[in-house]
Amino acid sequence: MTYDGSYVRIFLNGMEVGNFAAPGKKILATNELLQIGSRGTGVENFNGKIDEVCILSVAKNYNVAGMLANEGATASLEYGSYPIANTIYLLSYQTLEGRKPDRTILRLNDSVNNPVICTYHNNESIYWTTPDHDYVIRNFSIEGNSANNQGVVNYYPMGVALPNTYNFTIKGVYVRDTRGYAGIITWPNHNAYQNPSITIKNYILYCLVTGTVRPEPPAGYGSGIYVTGFDQRNIIIGCNTCKNNQGTGIFLEDYQSYMDVVVNTCTDNGGNGIWLNLTRNTNVLHNVIENNAARGILVDGGAGSGGFTGTVSNIVSYNTVRTNSWEGIFHYDSGSGVYNSYCVFKNNTVEDNNNGQWQNVKGITLRDVRYVTLDTNISRDTRPTKWQYYGISTEGIADYNTITNNDLRQNKVGGLTYVGTNNTISGNKGAYDCTSTTVTTGSVYSGSHTDLHTDNGVYFTVKSNTSGTRTTDWYATTTIAENRSIVDKLTITYDGKYSISRTQYLYLWNYTTSAWEQIDSATVGTTDITRTWTTTDTALIQKYISSTGEIKVRVYASGGSTTFYCYGDYLTYAIEY
């Protein structure tokens, strides 16, 4: 059916089958709900079947109507770009004959760059209760909202037992400046557990308060996408951009399971980037999480109840988690005690977290969880001023965890700090810069120990003595965070040059014999030469690392009566464990 301001036309299977004159009968611009399938208060319901609903900004001719009828949701059309309603209210009531539609399609525009806009002030923009058939909402814009409500809401009344077969898809929706729980929320607030199949796949999703970052509100408030209620399943949240939300970018809670959170971008939110609370068997894959005011990814086990055991068996992999104010990834039990997690965190890149306002913030933290796997992650701080204290930290009661093959180099304090028993730790890499230098023969000519942190041609320079045999002799010290008993490989790398060719000797301090032991010698001239020494002899490693984790490397050169200079460019202490 179409109406162009003069005629109402009826189409059947794309062909016009009737019309009548109705001049001046336009849809009024009011604050009332736009209802589909009902009138007034919702008690007068359409007696029949309404399927594949499209709301268009202009009346279409029979050619376009035919294409819509034949192609349904796949028709490619432009429908204009101006406000058409305050709220669209999708009714799910049965018709008078007890029949229900099998699918409702609300598609207001086929281009998210030029969408039809639905602006509301006091209610949700799209709202439906008691969903009993399949819904598709696509290519739609919601913005300019001022009330404390949501943009797109799927709400189930308390105690309603719903079928486990319905599906809904939200695709290509643009949501901006809502100020309630979330931009998109699915909220089954009832006692019967459900198994819907949900796809939320938005190309652009800007939700809630944009601009000023503020402290995180209570759980769920201000989220870009919020999935809550008991035991929703088979949910796909993919290809969304959740940015500048007052709270969390994507928030999932209350025993959700079998979900895929994939290829989303969550940046500049006032809370966490992604927050899983009491979720199970959920995949969080290939997301970019940056610049959030709290944690990048928060996985909260919570206090399991109702026969549930909390957050279990989630896979968090191949995510890029950078420059968040607190931890990059934080997995813990917010309830009392400890629980068995079985979550897997693998192949994530966690960099440059902690904005400097907080002390002792780590890249990845496990707290009061067991049976967690951390494998092949990169957790480091690449900034000149490092604020990410450790690559990985385990805290509280953290037993039976597996921490393997992680690259934990370049953190402020250390690679790994851990507690607990029966943990499997192997194949991890850590690297440390020196924290001080001491000159025993000669004098500091320029620079400091920090110039040894980067191989960049900026030197820590030592001038030889000026009488007798000319000599430069100095050593650099660091302290590792790991217990020396777990270190199974030690590598020393030094890069430098001299003002004239000299034989250079490198030494390590033996804490057992309290003496220097030579580990390398080479002729070094006026261009930088890199020398690397390594050992996997654990007995030797125990001698070169003190009980408190201290390591000392000495650089020595001597000869002739001509004053010379030693230029140290780079020194690193690398360990594997």
Side-chain angles (χ1 to χ4, degrees), residues 494-498 504 522-531 570:
Y494 173 73
D495 179 89
K497 65 181 181 178
Y498 292 85
Q504 171 184 275
T523 299
V524 180
T526 57
T527 58
D528 282 10
I529 298 294
T530 300
R531 302 296 296 174
Y570 178 64

Side-chain angles (χ1 to χ4, degrees), residues 53-332:
V53 174
C54 287
I55 299 178
L56 314 180
S57 60
V58 295
K60 299 301 181 182
N61 59 28
Y62 69 92
N63 289 325
V64 174
M67 183 166 60
L68 284 170
N70 293 328
E71 298 186 15
T74 64
S76 178
L77 300 171
E78 292 295 333
Y79 301 148
S81 177
Y82 51 85
I84 63 167
N86 288 332
T87 299
I88 296 177
Y89 188 54
L90 301 183
L91 300 176
S92 300
Y93 303 120
Q94 296 183 11
T95 64
L96 293 179
E97 296 180 3
R99 294 177 294 186
K100 307 174 185 178
D102 57 9
R103 181 171 62 162
T104 294
I105 298 179
L106 176 63
R107 182 192 50 180
L108 300 187
N109 199 305
D110 280 304
S111 170
V112 295
N113 295 319
N114 186 30
V116 170
I117 299 174
C118 180
T119 302
Y120 75 93
H121 297 285
N122 296 308
N123 298 291
E124 290 75 13
S125 288
I126 301 178
Y127 178 86
W128 68 100
T129 64
T130 322
D132 51 16
H133 62 284
D134 296 350
Y135 285 89
V136 178
I137 299 176
R138 58 163 55 188
N139 298 343
F140 185 86
S141 178
I142 303 168
E143 60 181 291
N145 308 302
S146 60
N148 293 322
N149 292 297
Q150 295 71 238
V152 180
V153 182
N154 172 29
Y155 177 78
Y156 318 151
M158 177 68 73
V160 176
L162 304 179
N164 295 333
T165 57
Y166 78 91
N167 306 279
F168 68 85
T169 299
I170 303 174
K171 183 176 181 180
V173 176
Y174 176 76
V175 184
R176 179 175 178 176
D177 294 342
T178 65
R179 289 169 171 79
Y181 272 98
I184 294 179
I185 176 173
T186 170
W187 190 349
N189 187 17
H190 57 80
N191 296 323
Y193 300 137
Q194 302 304 309
N195 296 283
S197 177
I198 302 171
T199 299
I200 302 174
K201 186 177 181 182
N202 305 283
Y203 302 128
I204 304 175
L205 178 59
Y206 289 85
C207 310
L208 308 166
V209 179
T210 61
T212 304
V213 175
R214 60 206 65 202
E216 186 176 356
Y221 285 87
S223 299
I225 297 175
Y226 181 27
V227 179
T228 186
F230 288 101
D231 201 27
Q232 297 192 77
R233 300 187 181 186
N234 306 316
I235 299 174
I236 300 174
I237 300 175
C239 303
N240 304 288
T241 297
C242 297
K243 182 177 182 180
N244 289 330
N245 297 290
Q246 181 177 347
T248 291
I250 298 175
F251 183 39
L252 314 177
E253 70 167 353
D254 288 344
Y255 311 118
Q256 316 306 331
S257 57
Y258 302 101
M259 294 183 290
D260 291 309
V261 181
V262 294
V263 200
N264 300 285
T265 300
C266 298
T267 62
D268 303 296
N269 296 290
N272 305 296
I274 295 176
W275 185 354
L276 307 184
N277 181 28
L278 291 171
T279 60
R280 301 166 295 160
N281 303 105
T282 291
N283 299 316
V284 179
L285 309 173
H286 299 285
N287 300 284
V288 176
I289 303 115
E290 296 180 335
N291 302 325
N292 297 287
R295 297 175 173 98
I297 299 176
L298 175 61
V299 182
D300 181 359
S305 61
F308 292 97
T309 57
T311 296
V312 295
S313 302
N314 299 302
I315 297 176
V316 179
S317 295
Y318 298 101
N319 301 286
T320 299
V321 187
R322 300 183 66 256
T323 58
N324 299 285
S325 296
W326 300 355
E327 289 86 356
I329 296 175
F330 190 79
H331 180 27
Y332 81 120

Side-chain angles (χ1 to χ4, degrees), residues 111 158 175 416 502 544 558:
S111 170
M158 177 68 73
V175 184
L416 171 66
R502 282 289 178 262
Y544 292 151
S558 182

Side-chain angles (χ1 to χ4, degrees), residues 318-384:
Y318 298 101
N319 301 286
T320 299
V321 187
R322 300 183 66 256
T323 58
N324 299 285
S325 296
W326 300 355
E327 289 86 356
I329 296 175
F330 190 79
H331 180 27
Y332 81 120
D333 177 30
S334 64
S336 59
V338 63
Y339 81 104
N340 299 334
S341 166
Y342 300 101
C343 290
V344 175
F345 299 83
K346 188 172 183 178
N347 292 305
N348 299 288
T349 298
V350 182
E351 292 181 334
D352 302 341
N353 296 286
N354 190 357
N355 61 9
Q357 299 182 41
W358 314 101
Q359 295 294 316
N360 205 24
V361 171
K362 297 87 174 180
I364 302 173
T365 295
L366 305 181
R367 180 183 296 168
D368 294 330
V369 290
R370 293 173 172 159
Y371 300 102
V372 177
T373 297
L374 298 176
D375 183 63
T376 324
N377 300 287
I378 298 173
S379 184
R380 63 189 178 189
D381 196 326
T382 65
R383 297 168 291 190

